[in-house]
Amino acid sequence: MELPDSVITHKNGRQRRQVGASVQSENMRDFDGGQAVASEPEIEDEAEDLLRGSDSEDNGRRRARPGIHGELGNVLLLLFLYVLQGIPLGLAGSIPLIMQSKNVSYKDQAFFSFVFWPFSLKLLWAPLVDALYLSQFGRRKSWLVPTQYLLGLFMLYLSLTVDSLLQNEEGRGPNVLTLTAVFFMLAFLAATQDIAVDGWALTMLSRENVGYASTCNSVGQTAGYFLGNVLFLALESADFCNKYLRIEPKDTGIVTLSDFLFFWGVVFLVSTTLVAIFKRENERGRGKRNVPEDTQGVTETYKLLFSIVKMPTVFTFCGLLLTAKVGFSAADAVTGLKLVEAGVPKEQLALLAVPMVPLQILLPLIISKYTAGPRPLDVFYKAFPFRLLIGLGYALLVWWTPSVKEDGVFPVYYYAIVLLSYALHQVALYSMYVACMAFHAKVSDPLIGGTYMTLLNTVTNLGGNWPSTVALWMVDPLTSKECQGAVGQSCSSPEQAGLCVKEGGMCVTTLDGYFVESVVCVVIGLAWWVWLGKKMRRLQDQSPASWRCRINQ
């Protein structure tokens, strides 16, 4: 991205060099021992020419790279902040599994899925976070500190009320509306924290090491989600704890949801206090060259954001991102709930996710070697059909599951097959995810903080969330049931299903909407891959200038 006029562009040639070479090749530099790969030498050379005349540090010699060791503390801090960000998301992700065991409808599940939308809507308030701050306290800390304090306080309050929201009272299920509201607020705060951390990462690290920010993001969020989802579900399960962690069985798990929320609320409060007191922004050390940020007002930032969206390349790319994941929506959103519905214990599913954690951490490191070049979306395109096929495999797995269950127990080989299916899905998913993140870094510019990157990331999230919500919402309408054993009764609604049972009948599913969705989604996905996938790949052939924003002043 380029600022409006040539004078400012030349003045900020260093930032343009970062976009053309440093940011684009960030993942390669992360894992290739500090070797820089300039995939677009024309931008690199132009920026170097500009710098030679104005930066005495670079006259007549190349500047030595400081290396990661001098900034290890900043990298670890970023990693920790992204881990904290993943905790509330992981907790929110565990609620649908808990609700499914209490027989809520898929429309209720679809309603709760709005909890994950703040990360897809954070673009609406990202300019405010980027532009409004207290300079004495720090541009990013002005938002990070109060947001994390609110997260901690909110989790402490929620620890006192969440159990009652999940309990069945007078034959009624969980209070889905209230649960959605409170966890939506947690996700909103986590999304705001993400905006601040993304922007801080661009200046916390020197431009030679800014590529480590994407690694901290992917690894930290994965680890945080694991702690808040997998670890919690395992420790909350009495069966899991009795089988693997206890000598004497008990009726409850080691922790409850309220205990878990209380613990992490305290962690948020303590860690935020330490960051507020001891961490300063834009620290400059020997050999460091930080990226200066252009300070925009709120109105100017929204205008700039709107101008970015209007660019033909960005507009086309956003449209493709919003539709690319329709083919995966049934597999991603409904499969796990269907397995729980079929009798697979949610804690066992959590246990199967444990061996996936090293894979989820290592995959970005491995895949980034193939996405660090000039064409990262080639990886996205190649992984697309494999992920569609895995979705069909998930449907077959759900169909097969009831026939495997014997005396209420699933054999070991069944869990091995589930584990293999999940591993293959993770490979395809992370291939596409890392490819997208690499391409975002390739075309983004940190001159207005994290707004450009936030635009692309939030559109990517929205492109996954809205199809998932629709997929959950459509399961019940696409499902056909009939009442067997009671003449003249039907099962077209919960009330009629209750009358069927009251009359001595039984509701039997004749057509599961999940299987209908699985086939339809794969057909849509293949059509997208054939007609639009190639168009997405061709965006990589656009010149760097086509991704830069120009505002007439």
Side-chain angles (χ1 to χ4, degrees), residues 349-367:
L349 291 179
L351 178 62
L352 290 178
V354 173
M356 289 294 101
V357 174
L359 181 65
Q360 291 171 335
I361 293 176
L362 291 175
L363 276 175
L365 310 181
I366 298 172
I367 297 169

Side-chain angles (χ1 to χ4, degrees), residues 2-5 300 303-305 307 549-553:
E2 189 174 358
L3 284 183
D5 55 71
E300 290 75 11
K303 287 181 179 179
L304 182 55
L305 177 61
S307 69
C549 179
R550 295 176 176 85
I551 300 180
N552 294 324
Q553 294 185 345

Side-chain angles (χ1 to χ4, degrees), residues 286-301:
R286 185 177 181 182
K288 283 186 63 175
R289 295 167 65 183
N290 295 79
V291 178
E293 292 185 288
D294 181 46
T295 302
Q296 301 279 345
V298 176
T299 303
E300 290 75 11
T301 303

